[in-house]
Structures are given as C-alpha cells and as structure tokens.
Amino acid sequence: MHAYRAPAALFLIAITLLAPVPGLAQTRAAPAAELPSLGDGNSMGTSAERRLGERIAREIYRDPDYIDDAILVEYVQSIWQPLLAAARQRGELTDELDQRFAWEVLMGADRTINAFAVPGGYLGLHLGLIGVVTSDDELASVLGHELSHVTQRHIARMMDSQSRQTPWMIGAMVLGALAASKNPDAANAMIVGGQAAAVQNQLNFSRDMEREADRIGYGVMTQAGFDPLGFVSMFEKLQQASRISDNGSFPYLRSHPLTTERIADMQSRQALDARPTPTPQSPVQAMMAARARVLGNPGVDMLRAWVGEAKGAKPTGPAMDVRSVGVLYAGTLSALRQRDFAQARGLVARLQALVEPHAAAARIARLLAAEIEWTAGDLPATAALVDLQAPGRPELLLGSQIRTRSGKAAEAIARLQPWVALHPRDGTAWQLLAAAYTAQGQTLRAIRAEAEAQVARLDYAGAMDRFRAAQDWARKPPAGSGPVDDIEASIIDTRARQTQALLKQQAQDKLDK
Ligand SMILES: [Zn+2]
C-alpha cells in the first residue's frame, strides 16, 4: 500500500497513526520546537492561491454531489469554527491568511471516506467520512490536520516545487484527480496508464509536510478543547480499514503512506496526553453520522437494510442508548428517502421518545420529523414542528420556506435579509430570499438575489447573466409593475461592475498560464 499511490484523492488527509505499540508508548516526544520548520513558503502569493482555490471550488459547487445540508453544515461548523479560533490564538492562522482565504468547508454527498485541502482555504469533506466518525473529536482531528496544511502554506510550497507547472495546470490536475476519486474504475484505468499516478505523486504532500500537519493540527485540536484520544480512535479506524480492503471507499488511505515516523510522533504525543477512556458518543453525534451515511448515496439496498434495522431496534435503558438513537435516525431518514412516509413517521416517533430528555438531541429529532412532513407536503404539520424564532440556520432555511409557502413571504424576507448581510456567501439563503421576493412580486430584488446566489457559488458568468437581466428589467419594466426602485437599481449596477471585474480576472488568470 505504501508503494502505490492511486490518483484517487488529492491533498489528502493524513490521519495520524496511533496504534499502541508496547514500549514506544513510554517514550517521551521530542518537544514540538525541536522539529524542523519547513520554511515560510510564501513563494505563491496568497491572492494567487485564493484565485486558484476559487477555480477549483467553483467546480466543486457545480458538482451534482455538492450538498448544502443545513443540519450537517451546522454540525461541521460547530467543530470547524472552534478549530479556526484556536489556530488564531496560537498564531498559526495569521490575520493576512484569515482575511485572504475562504476558510470554507464544502461537503460532497459521496460515501467514500475523504477530506482534502484545496488552495485558498477551501476544504472538501465527503459525507462518507462524517458517517464513520463516532465523536466530534475524531472529526476535529481530521479537520485540524487539513486546516494546518493550509495555515502552513503547504500548497503554495508544493506549487513552488512544481516549477514546470503553472498554477492553472495544477488546478486542472487537481480537478482531474477529484473526478477520478469519485470513480474507482476510472482511477484504476488511470493507474494502468501510469502517467496519472505520476500526477498524483506531484499532488501529494511530502512526508515532512504530513508530519508538520500532524503536529500543528494536534495542537490546534487540543487547544480548541477536543479530546486528544479522537486522534487515536480515528486512526485505529483507518488502520483497520486499510487491513480489510483497498476497495476505493477510503481514497485517502491509498495516497497517505502511514510512515513509521508519523506513527512514532503520534504515539509520543499520546503518551503525553492520553486519558484512560475517550469521550462517549453523544446522541447528537450519532444522529449526524447516521444522517451523513444516508445522504451519502449508499444505494437502495442499504436504505432498506437500515429501515429493517431500525424496526428491530430495542433500546436498552435507563441511560439513553446512543446506538439505538443512530439506528432509529438512519432508519427514519432511509424510509423518507424511499418516500415511505408512514414508516418514517412511526420510526421518528420512537426516536423522539428516546431522545426527549436531551434538549440538543430532541431538537435534531424534531427537525427530522419536520423534514418528513415537509417532504410529504403537509405544511401545517411542518410548521408545528419548527421553532420559527430559533436562531439556527436549519430553522431559518426551513422556516423561510414555510413562510413563503404560507403567504408570509414578508416575514421570510425580514429574517433572510439580515442573515445574508452577515453571511453574503450563503448561496442557499440568497436563493430562498429570491423565492420570497418573487412571491411578493418584487421582481427586481428577486433577480438580484438570484445573481448573488451565483456569486456565492463563485459562478461569476452565471451571476452576470442575472445582473444583466435585472438591469434590462429596470430599464424597461413590464407594464403594470409599478415604479422602479432606484436604490435597488443602483446597487445592481455596482454589483454588476464588481462581478464583471471578477470575471475579467478569471479570464486573465487563464491567459497568464
Ligand atoms: Zn495531510
């Protein structure tokens, strides 16, 4: 496995190997300061790296597997934001990088276990990975490692070492590797070709970079308050998987040599920090992993199997049976995916009864119940289950749709407007705002919100198309549409100019190659 690198994943996560080895565990780690630094790596400018990252991120947004699932996004953010804060505190994340880079996690509805850092502060995360973690700490160990590749400017340094490749070509290589990672057969065909394997070698971080990402990521993760044992258990999972098979489900394992140096590094850290038992799985985490498994396109046989498992679940108590929580959540959502509403309703009722004493878990179960009614088209039942005043993004997004559909678009707008002012890159919120404006007959604002949704997904050409439509509308509003809102029209002109400049920059980047 170490000698063979598939083009299946790029900038892959290097999860650290922490298998306990007797004897080694007693060895003290070399203090972090003694490890060699890899230099400051500012050869590729932060602006250039961000633009390259946007090119790649735009393709990820366009991919049919890209998923903005409000529940899972909120969960991942609850881990990602503390990691960013810790990296700032430690000085790993400098003000310049903080402002220049995106620091966004993009999720893919893909059952393979993968996560990767993209230039410019974008991270790709497959649902398959969320589906196998059993604690927030495990996910934090993965994200902390990837975050550190970015803060340490490993990508810029790698680009620099590829002196014959322009950033534009590297972007194309990254996209090719991403596409291949989603199709194990294509990946194998490329290996036979040999050339692609060489490309993948160029895209992998060096062993020293992996060790540095381990070291810094571990510091960031523990400073953020996560349990260091998350590193251990995550790695044990990977190690087990690598023993069982190499079937394309674990793309990063194939490209991540688990070197003896990295194993030794992490065992030393473990000896310093380990506590006797890891944090037990929380009911919320069990539901998040279940959701990720079901939304990761597992196939209809798996959905059926999960429904069957949930029907047979017999929670043990008095303490909450977290395993049954996950089983019931997966079964409910699987039934919903198959549009078996009766089954989904029956299972979610059992889930809600089980998690009722736990407020955070009860909220997630209630949102699942609301999702069932929404999908079934029962608007009043959905509305009864959603706390429309709650501050969370899932409530905001679902609540806006409920309001717009029930003739209260003005209320939806009142909630969404301040949100997009604070979160201008929330494309989904812009889309819902466009729908609310449309319901209100505010065409100009609706078209502008559609344009902003495209900007948020980095599709500047698509955005320009909408801005021009808005300008045309403002110049010649259809009869009976009332006076044109001059302030809105002038905002649209400004945003169109700004977006046009971004589009021009993209074209220039292509020419510069
Ligand atoms: Zn790595």
Side-chain angles (χ1 to χ4, degrees):
M1 184 188 119
H2 291 194
Y4 147 84
R5 293 182 171 194
L10 57 150
F11 303 154
L12 286 177
I13 349 182
I15 308 277
T16 29
L17 183 52
L18 281 165
V21 171
L24 259 183
Q26 264 73 45
T27 314
R28 263 191 81 89
E34 287 177 18
L35 291 173
S37 161
L38 295 174
D40 52 17
N42 45 14
S43 38
M44 185 188 206
T46 47
S47 301
E49 189 184 327
R50 172 69 187 266
R51 292 205 302 273
L52 175 60
E54 288 200 353
R55 165 170 151 71
I56 296 164
R58 187 167 63 248
E59 298 304 322
I60 297 175
Y61 279 125
R62 269 186 202 167
D63 191 300
D65 282 346
Y66 165 74
I67 183 168
D68 175 11
D69 180 72
I71 306 274
L72 288 174
V73 166
E74 181 183 71
Y75 172 62
V76 170
Q77 288 300 316
S78 75
I79 293 166
W80 180 238
Q81 292 302 328
L83 291 173
L84 286 175
R88 284 184 195 107
Q89 278 168 14
R90 294 168 58 89
E92 311 292 357
L93 176 47
T94 62
D95 284 350
E96 191 207 353
L97 281 185
D98 206 358
Q99 286 156 23
R100 289 279 176 89
F101 282 4
W103 305 113
E104 282 183 31
V105 182
L106 309 183
M107 280 192 260
D110 189 313
R111 66 177 182 276
T112 59
I113 292 164
N114 204 359
F116 46 91
V118 171
Y122 292 97
L123 254 76
L125 178 61
H126 285 183
L127 296 191
L129 194 145
I130 304 175
V132 296
V133 301
T134 46
S135 71
D136 298 351
D137 313 302
E138 289 180 350
L139 189 54
S141 75
V142 174
L143 296 177
H145 176 101
E146 291 306 308
L147 171 64
S148 301
H149 275 311
V150 186
T151 58
Q152 299 310 111
R153 305 299 315 281
H154 287 169
I155 294 169
R157 280 186 238 162
M158 188 164 55
M159 304 274 172
D160 196 43
S161 68
Q162 313 280 318
S163 51
R164 282 169 302 149
Q165 311 283 1
T166 65
W168 199 256
M169 287 169 67
I170 291 169
M173 278 158 50
V174 170
L175 290 169
L178 254 184
S181 77
K182 301 167 77 81
N183 183 342
D185 293 338
N188 288 330
M190 288 170 78
I191 294 159
V192 174
Q195 202 170 0
V199 166
Q200 181 62 35
N201 278 339
Q202 294 179 329
L203 291 173
N204 282 336
F205 292 121
S206 72
R207 289 175 166 214
D208 284 345
M209 287 175 178
E210 289 304 334
R211 291 179 73 189
E212 190 175 62
D214 285 346
R215 176 168 59 85
I216 309 253
Y218 185 83
V220 166
M221 174 226 185
T222 48
Q223 173 138 355
F226 293 102
D227 187 338
L229 281 187
F231 256 114
V232 184
S233 51
M234 188 71 214
F235 197 78
E236 280 168 356
K237 276 190 180 120
L238 296 178
Q239 207 189 13
Q240 267 173 7
S242 72
R243 284 196 206 103
I244 296 164
S245 68
D246 188 355
N247 62 1
S249 295
F250 284 74
Y252 66 69
L253 264 181
R254 290 182 298 180
S255 68
H256 256 100
L258 310 171
T259 61
T260 48
E261 297 95 327
R262 295 181 61 212
I263 297 167
D265 285 354
M266 289 310 294
Q267 280 166 344
S268 307
R269 285 183 200 112
Q270 187 193 352
L272 290 178
D273 291 324
R275 269 165 269 162
T277 48
T279 321
Q281 187 175 27
S282 78
V284 169
Q285 205 285 325
M287 290 192 278
M288 293 303 146
R291 186 172 183 86
R293 285 195 293 275
V294 177
L295 297 186
N297 292 320
V300 71
D301 289 343
M302 282 311 293
L303 295 182
R304 284 198 193 114
W306 286 331
V307 171
E309 197 185 353
K311 278 158 72 178
K314 288 192 182 63
T316 53
M320 195 191 298
D321 175 357
V322 172
R323 194 188 165 275
S324 291
V325 170
V327 166
L328 282 168
Y329 193 101
T332 305
L333 191 54
S334 296
L336 179 58
R337 296 277 274 184
Q338 298 176 292
R339 302 189 68 81
D340 183 348
F341 298 114
Q343 184 73 262
R345 285 181 178 118
L347 290 173
V348 84
R350 291 176 55 201
L351 175 66
Q352 287 187 280
L354 187 60
V355 299
E356 201 255 316
H358 186 297
R363 170 183 171 243
I364 298 299
R366 200 168 55 244
L367 284 168
L368 179 60
E371 193 176 345
I372 294 167
E373 301 309 334
W374 176 257
T375 312
D378 189 335
L379 201 54
T382 312
L385 286 159
V386 179
D387 176 0
L388 292 172
Q389 303 308 320
R393 184 169 178 263
E395 284 90 349
L396 171 79
L397 297 185
L398 186 51
S400 298
Q401 294 173 85
I402 293 168
R403 285 163 160 141
T404 299
R405 270 235 211 132
S406 32
K408 295 176 186 164
E411 284 179 23
I413 292 166
R415 298 276 304 200
L416 286 165
Q417 261 180 341
W419 177 269
V420 296
L422 275 176
H423 308 276
R425 287 190 281 175
D426 189 339
T428 302
W430 279 113
Q431 271 170 349
L432 296 179
L433 185 55
Y437 281 135
T438 300
Q440 286 261 299
Q442 300 196 49
T443 309
L444 194 57
R445 291 185 174 203
I447 306 174
R448 185 203 150 200
E450 285 169 8
E452 297 291 1
Q454 302 298 327
V455 173
R457 304 253 160 103
L458 307 172
D459 181 358
Y460 302 134
M464 279 314 296
D465 180 69
R466 300 318 294 149
F467 280 129
R468 288 201 189 96
Q471 288 172 322
D472 288 347
W473 194 96
R475 264 192 295 274
K476 276 191 189 173
S481 51
V484 172
D485 178 343
D486 287 335
I487 295 173
E488 187 66 19
S490 110
I491 292 172
I492 286 165
D493 287 341
T494 305
R495 294 290 296 136
R497 273 197 303 277
Q498 291 167 341
T499 308
Q500 185 63 39
L502 292 169
L503 196 57
K504 224 171 139 182
Q505 176 74 65
Q506 275 179 2
Q508 190 60 44
D509 284 345
K510 267 186 216 177
L511 292 175
D512 284 348
K513 73 181 175 180

